[in-house]
Amino acid sequence: MRNPAVFVPHFHWDREWYEPFQVFRHRLVAALDTVLETAEANPDFRFTVDGQMAAVEDYLEMRPENRDRLVALVTGGQLAIGPWLILLDEFLCSGETIVRNLQMGWAAAAELGGSMPIGYLPDMFGHVAQMPQILARAGIEHAALWRGVPGSVDGHAFRWRAPDGSEVRTEFLFDGYDNGLDVLLVPDQIGRALGEYAEMTADRWGDDPVLAMAGTDHNAPDPRLATWLRRASGDERAITIATLDEYIREHVRDEVSAVVTGELRSHVRGNILPGVLSVRLGLKQRMAVAERTIDHAERLNALWSRRDDSPFLSLAWHKIIESTAHDSVVGSGTDETSDQVEARLAEATHAARAVRDAALAVPAALVPSDACLVANPLPFPRTALVEVDVVAPPSGTVLAATAADGSARPVQLISEAPTVLSDERMDASQLERVLRRIHRRELFGRLIDHYELTPGSLVFHLAEVPASGPFDLLILRREVAAAAAAHPGEWRVLTLEEARATALVPVRVPASGLAGFRVEPSDRTPVRPTTSAPATAAAPATATDRTLSNGLVEVAIAADGTLDMTGTDGTVLRGVGRLVDGGDRGDSYNYAPPAQDVLVSEPTEVTVELLEDGPLRARTRVTRVYEWPVALSSDERDLRDSRTVPTPVETLVEVRVGEPFVRVSTSFLNQSADHRLRFHVPLPEPVTVSASAGQFAVTERGLTAEGGWGEYPIPTFPASSFVSAGAATVLVDHATEYELVADGSAIALTLLRAIGSISVNIHPLRDEPAASEIPAPGAQDLGMRVENRFAVVPSSTGWQGANAVALAEDFRNDVLVARGTAPAGGQLPPDAPGLRVDGADILVSSIRRVEGDERGPGTEVRLAAMSDTGSTARVTGAFTEATTVDLLGRPLSATPVTDGLELALGPWEIRTVVVR
């Protein structure tokens, strides 16, 4: 008997793409209306709703009256929903966001009858290494996917193994998620067509039934599908209609021999469209900001606030997760879609920021208003530099930052503000207009300390914290009215602010904790640390016109504006920061160089400006001017235009006291179209392997990628927090594209990829169009200021020897600063420690408040061992018990705690505990 066949009716729903969200939702409602009607009319009909609850939520928002109908179909087994909230791009968000996506999708499905227990990932542009562990730790044993599977898999299933050893049986949709449609083209010939397809693919199926995925993008199956299949079914070939869950659990064997470990980024059986990593840079940066903001909000809310802000946090998470959709944050949609994603990420950031600031305001209420509070979002103690606005000291006076314990640290003044805010002359009859600017006591963003009223003159003295007594606006109005009447004619109104300055302050903050400080004149001159100081004292940051140093790293600026960096162990990286600009005739999905490309790597002009010479921070600005072609030739897309535009690129080079890395940021106004700009970090010796961190793992990659489908396997790869090769580790603050170039002699980071079309029909590096050839002029980023920031760690010991996991967290997560709101002059409250986590190569992905179980609310901590040897994490804080939970929050085991919690984590293990 020939293989039976199982048809899985479904659709794939891109929530937004070549049309904006609401346009696609209009189609979605009509499609799901059809599905519900078809299922209710035919009890044998089954439908799989694309594995994402967003489609269901979007439908029910428009059709709330159909909720009970939908629930009945789910509970009756005809409709399979979940487990994801949305089908995401796994490389362009954090691992924590992937977990929350699964949690929110699972919970939403539970309210409607329960989730399909399949990790359905049909159309993602590759898959992260830790996805099997994420699924397994949520109790999900199976996955199904298409893109990225290597050529070593010759069947229709394989065991997908995460770096920690977790596995899920994975159904390989080797012909895509629409392989059944060709069989259905002629309803009267389904039997014949199915037989031919089964014969063509027989080596894949073995003794298992043929899986025919009967669906495609944005369309419901034909309501007559079940009738067609019944008619085609016969004794020779049984045909069944099932959900994807039913096919995997009831129709195929669990035992499969093929094993694939780690990430899936092969091009051999499907395009993975790697250019989405670098197109529309702003969306990647906004995603990172939103994720950081909500992470900090949750941590502060859990540790320092009693307010239940879960509705705001849920809203923010929902909008972040919506934005991770594989046609959203990737930037492969129209300009309308991109604008919508940008707005959604901004809204998520705003909601999270409100929670964060409200939580920070609680301890700030205990800090005097002439002092500041610093909150450390990271669970290890650190000394951070913060910028604060202070009263400028008289010439010769030294300022110091005084902590709660009375210790003082020197500060660095980095700028001074003007004291005259306005100097106006007006007729006496206009004085009332000036008074309308005053709101109770506030004027021009400051507070009125006192005023001087003399004939023909009104002088306001403003301060951030008034030293005088109460201020009565009504008395001022009365006095000014009387003076104006007594002295008509011209008046001078002068608004003066106390002399202000921006100070850079070093603050020692406990793990996940709080510290207050006050900047005030010091009664003695602080002694500057020197390079010969004891090991416990950090050497100062210093700079000259062409050098920077802090005793740990040194930078020399070459004549061409590149940087020679020397690390703590003597490792030297020469020529860091070489910029290479080339043409890009590709699209939002794939880079493609013009056939006759022109690479621009040498500046026409270089200037160097010393900005700060220490002792806490040293900064130099290097400005290089390049002549970049304005676009591709209007006559020939394989040529760059002969016209050029001079483009100054500013590179800010910075070292801070105590940091073993060099901070670098680049900025330029983009005036060119159709180009790719990359920042090179040359290596002392060529390498064959790179490693980058992201989504709970550090993944190693070679100089090439596996090809074979019709897409050139360009070896560009993602990095979320750092990329390392040989003696260089680069810390990044958002999802970044990189490549090892020049036969492994340099890391190239993409700073900008500017293109003008969603897809192009004829692409030199991709056979098949990825979408319609729709213009996307916004993806050129013309007229936009393009900014990137990263840090370079020169170290011969690689990323582990350089402690890159911790350095990346330090670099990406600034401390939070708030002005105190208690009466000025009071004592600073003592430093307050929070939750602390110690251990080598430990990533703390989340700290948040949870309602918990019968034990009551608690604080959930998610950790990952970021090494192939595992690690021991020690968690300390104000708690007496700990419960290990799975990734859906279900309790696994409880442990009493007496003196901290010791967690032995296996290699690359993700562990979640709730402490109380």
Side-chain angles (χ1 to χ4, degrees):
M1 177 179 174
R2 293 182 296 172
N3 295 58
V6 178
F7 279 76
V8 175
H10 75 102
F11 56 43
H12 175 55
W13 209 272
D14 301 291
R15 198 165 182 261
E16 54 202 357
W17 181 18
Y18 57 83
E19 294 282 10
F21 163 58
Q22 295 297 355
V23 174
F24 270 152
R25 173 150 73 172
H26 192 270
R27 299 182 192 177
L28 170 70
V29 171
L32 278 179
D33 280 346
T34 298
V35 168
L36 266 59
E37 292 165 4
T38 303
E40 289 169 338
N42 186 346
D44 293 333
F45 183 77
R46 300 287 188 271
F47 189 80
T48 300
V49 193
D50 205 28
Q52 55 178 335
M53 288 303 299
V56 178
E57 291 183 348
D58 294 341
Y59 175 76
L60 290 179
E61 190 174 359
M62 295 293 106
R63 292 279 195 267
E65 67 276 11
N66 288 345
R67 179 186 176 90
D68 291 343
R69 295 173 61 197
L70 191 144
V71 169
L73 293 172
V74 172
T75 55
Q78 287 186 263
L79 208 61
I81 60 174
W84 301 101
L85 178 58
I86 207 157
L87 294 181
L88 71 163
D89 186 287
E90 299 166 32
F91 292 97
L92 292 176
C93 64
S94 69
E96 186 63 32
T97 298
I98 297 176
V99 171
R100 301 304 179 92
N101 187 341
L102 185 57
Q103 289 177 343
M104 295 183 79
W106 192 271
E111 294 182 359
L112 296 174
S115 175
M116 172 176 72
I118 307 293
Y120 187 48
L121 305 161
D123 197 29
M124 286 71 167
F125 307 152
H127 304 276
V128 298
Q130 287 281 37
M131 183 59 75
Q133 184 179 180
I134 291 172
L135 295 174
R137 288 184 180 264
I140 296 174
E141 300 173 345
H142 298 269
L145 50 82
W146 167 30
R147 304 183 195 264
V149 178
S152 59
V153 176
D154 55 10
H156 72 98
F158 61 96
R159 289 174 14 232
W160 187 14
R161 183 177 295 161
D164 78 310
S166 300
E167 289 185 0
V168 289
R169 181 200 177 277
T170 303
E171 187 67 27
F172 178 25
L173 308 176
F174 59 89
D175 266 350
Y177 54 79
D178 59 355
N179 70 314
L181 289 189
D182 288 348
V183 173
L184 301 174
L185 285 175
V186 182
D188 291 340
Q189 298 295 318
I190 290 175
R192 175 196 57 77
L194 181 58
E196 292 178 358
Y197 179 75
E199 185 175 345
M200 290 167 51
T201 58
D203 291 345
R204 289 275 180 185
W205 303 111
D207 295 329
D208 288 334
V210 173
L211 170 62
M213 297 293 289
T216 188
D217 298 358
H218 316 128
N219 284 286
D222 193 297
R224 297 168 292 177
L225 175 62
T227 302
W228 295 343
L229 295 178
R230 276 196 302 269
R231 190 166 60 226
S233 181
D235 292 337
E236 289 191 49
R237 186 179 305 280
I239 296 176
T240 305
I241 297 180
T243 64
L244 183 62
D245 180 31
E246 289 172 331
Y247 170 79
I248 290 174
R249 291 183 174 275
E250 299 175 13
H251 295 279
V252 298
R253 66 193 188 284
D254 283 340
E255 301 81 14
V256 290
S257 58
V259 177
V260 179
T261 299
E263 71 176 6
L264 306 179
R265 289 193 64 84
S266 169
H267 306 253
V268 73
R269 288 293 304 181
N271 298 335
I272 66 167
L273 312 170
V276 299
L277 296 174
S278 51
V279 73
R280 296 194 193 268
L281 166 72
L283 291 183
K284 282 63 173 177
Q285 293 174 324
R286 289 176 178 86
M287 173 61 71
V289 169
E291 289 178 323
R292 269 198 297 275
T293 306
I294 195 168
D295 179 35
H296 295 175
E298 286 191 329
R299 296 182 188 214
L300 266 65
N301 180 260
L303 298 174
W304 307 112
S305 174
R306 295 183 178 179
R307 172 172 170 158
D308 179 14
D309 272 326
S310 56
F312 288 93
L313 293 170
S314 295
L315 171 69
W317 269 120
H318 202 289
K319 290 189 176 296
I320 288 172
I321 293 166
E322 288 177 64
S323 302
T324 65
H326 65 286
D327 285 302
S328 295
V329 70
V330 296
S332 60
T334 62
D335 290 350
E336 290 176 304
T337 296
S338 178
D339 291 345
Q340 194 163 30
V341 177
E342 182 178 333
R344 190 183 298 127
L345 287 171
E347 193 173 352
T349 303
H350 299 161
R353 190 178 74 197
V355 174
R356 180 199 69 191
D357 292 351
L360 193 56
V362 175
L366 304 177
V367 175
S369 60
D370 59 345
C372 291
L373 176 72
V374 177
N376 179 12
L378 298 179
F380 51 80
R382 59 204 287 217
T383 297
L385 296 183
V386 300
E387 291 186 15
V388 292
D389 182 66
V390 298
V391 177
S395 178
T397 302
V398 175
L399 294 181
T402 304
D405 63 3
S407 62
R409 292 173 177 245
V411 306
Q412 176 182 332
L413 293 181
I414 55 178
S415 67
E416 292 196 24
T419 58
V420 178
L421 298 184
S422 71
D423 187 354
E424 304 168 277
R425 296 186 181 276
M426 62 188 67
D427 188 79
S429 62
Q430 298 298 308
L431 291 176
E432 175 60 28
R433 177 171 59 85
V434 173
L435 300 184
R436 288 199 297 269
R437 301 171 180 167
I438 302 171
H439 301 275
R440 289 166 292 281
R441 193 168 190 164
E442 180 270 327
L443 177 60
F444 296 157
R446 298 294 184 188
L447 299 178
I448 297 174
D449 183 76
H450 64 281
Y451 59 89
E452 302 171 36
L453 183 61
T454 58
S457 174
L458 174 58
V459 181
F460 292 106
H461 294 268
L462 309 184
E464 186 174 22
V465 180
S468 61
F471 169 79
D472 193 323
L473 180 57
L474 294 179
I475 292 177
L476 173 63
R477 289 182 180 278
R478 185 173 67 242
E479 291 178 348
V480 169
H487 303 281
E490 185 178 78
W491 276 64
R492 183 187 188 191
V493 179
L494 189 62
T495 306
L496 303 176
E497 182 182 20
E498 59 186 347
R500 309 294 300 180
T502 301
L504 194 62
V505 180
V507 184
R508 182 68 177 171
V509 199
S512 304
L514 308 171
F517 70 90
R518 179 184 279 116
V519 176
E520 53 194 359
S522 175
D523 58 1
R524 66 179 187 272
T525 302
V527 178
R528 269 194 179 187
T530 66
T531 52
S532 60
T536 54
T542 61
T544 66
D545 288 345
R546 292 261 173 183
T547 65
L548 301 95
S549 176
N550 66 357
L552 297 175
V553 288
E554 296 179 0
V555 183
I557 302 171
D560 63 356
T562 61
L563 312 172
D564 294 341
M565 300 181 181
T566 304
T568 306
D569 62 358
T571 296
V572 179
L573 304 177
R574 300 190 186 280
V576 173
R578 178 172 178 257
L579 298 178
V580 179
D581 184 76
D584 192 341
R585 62 140 301 173
D587 52 30
S588 66
Y589 293 102
N590 296 78
Y591 160 78
Q596 302 178 57
D597 200 2
V598 173
L599 298 181
V600 180
S601 60
E602 298 303 321
T604 60
E605 180 184 343
V606 179
T607 58
V608 180
E609 179 185 3
L610 175 62
L611 302 179
E612 299 171 18
D613 61 0
L616 301 176
R617 183 175 72 188
R619 281 179 162 180
T620 299
R621 180 166 54 224
V622 181
T623 303
R624 291 173 285 178
V625 180
Y626 295 86
E627 291 288 339
W628 290 342
V630 296
L632 295 178
S633 170
S634 57
D635 299 323
E636 174 54 65
R637 287 192 58 78
D638 271 318
L639 285 173
R640 297 191 82 178
D641 201 304
S642 59
R643 295 171 298 160
T644 61
V645 56
T647 305
V649 180
E650 294 181 354
T651 302
L652 186 66
V653 188
E654 174 183 324
V655 297
R656 297 184 181 183
V657 63
E659 289 187 342
F661 51 80
V662 181
R663 294 174 180 256
V664 180
S665 60
T666 61
S667 175
F668 63 93
L669 182 68
N670 184 44
Q671 304 171 77
S672 299
D674 311 315
H675 70 127
R676 181 182 69 173
L677 176 67
R678 303 212 282 188
F679 182 101
H680 284 221
V681 181
L683 305 175
E685 297 179 355
V687 298
T688 58
V689 175
S690 67
S692 76
Q695 299 83 32
F696 303 119
V698 179
T699 302
E700 289 193 350
R701 306 179 178 100
L703 296 178
T704 61
E706 184 182 35
W709 176 252
E711 177 182 58
Y712 181 81
I714 182 171
T716 52
F717 299 110
S720 291
S721 60
F722 67 79
V723 55
S724 185
T729 297
V730 183
L731 316 177
V732 298
D733 78 340
H734 63 271
T736 300
E737 176 189 87
Y738 79 91
E739 181 181 0
L740 287 182
V741 297
D743 296 323
S745 295
I747 303 171
L749 303 170
T750 303
L751 302 186
L752 174 70
R753 200 167 73 82
I755 51 87
S757 181
I758 290 180
S759 177
V760 294
N761 293 334
I762 305 300
H763 193 294
L765 301 184
R766 189 188 66 233
D767 290 344
E768 181 185 2
S772 300
E773 194 168 272
I774 300 172
Q780 297 281 16
D781 282 335
L782 285 170
M784 302 294 291
R785 180 152 290 278
V786 178
E787 298 179 340
N788 286 272
R789 77 177 189 107
F790 34 89
V792 181
V793 188
S795 174
S796 63
T797 58
W799 65 269
Q800 283 186 291
N803 197 25
V805 172
L807 292 184
E809 286 296 280
D810 197 19
F811 173 69
R812 291 162 60 89
N813 294 275
D814 292 333
V815 294
L816 308 170
V817 185
R819 175 72 65 176
T821 56
Q827 285 191 333
L828 291 170
D831 293 355
L835 207 65
R836 177 166 178 163
V837 179
D838 293 294
D841 294 327
I842 294 291
L843 172 71
V844 177
S845 176
S846 171
I847 299 174
R848 63 164 178 158
R849 173 185 292 154
V850 291
E851 289 305 313
D853 49 26
E854 67 275 2
R855 295 180 179 85
T859 301
E860 181 187 82
V861 185
R862 189 157 15 259
L863 316 92
M866 299 287 282
S867 78
D868 55 8
T869 58
S871 186
T872 297
R874 177 170 171 77
V875 185
T876 53
F879 57 89
T880 56
E881 69 170 65
T883 303
T884 299
V885 300
D886 70 7
L887 280 186
L888 296 180
R890 297 172 296 205
L892 299 175
S893 62
T895 305
V897 177
T898 55
D899 182 27
L901 176 65
E902 296 278 349
L903 297 173
L905 303 180
W908 308 108
E909 181 186 352
I910 305 167
R911 184 84 64 87
T912 308
V913 295
V914 176
V915 297
R916 296 178 174 86

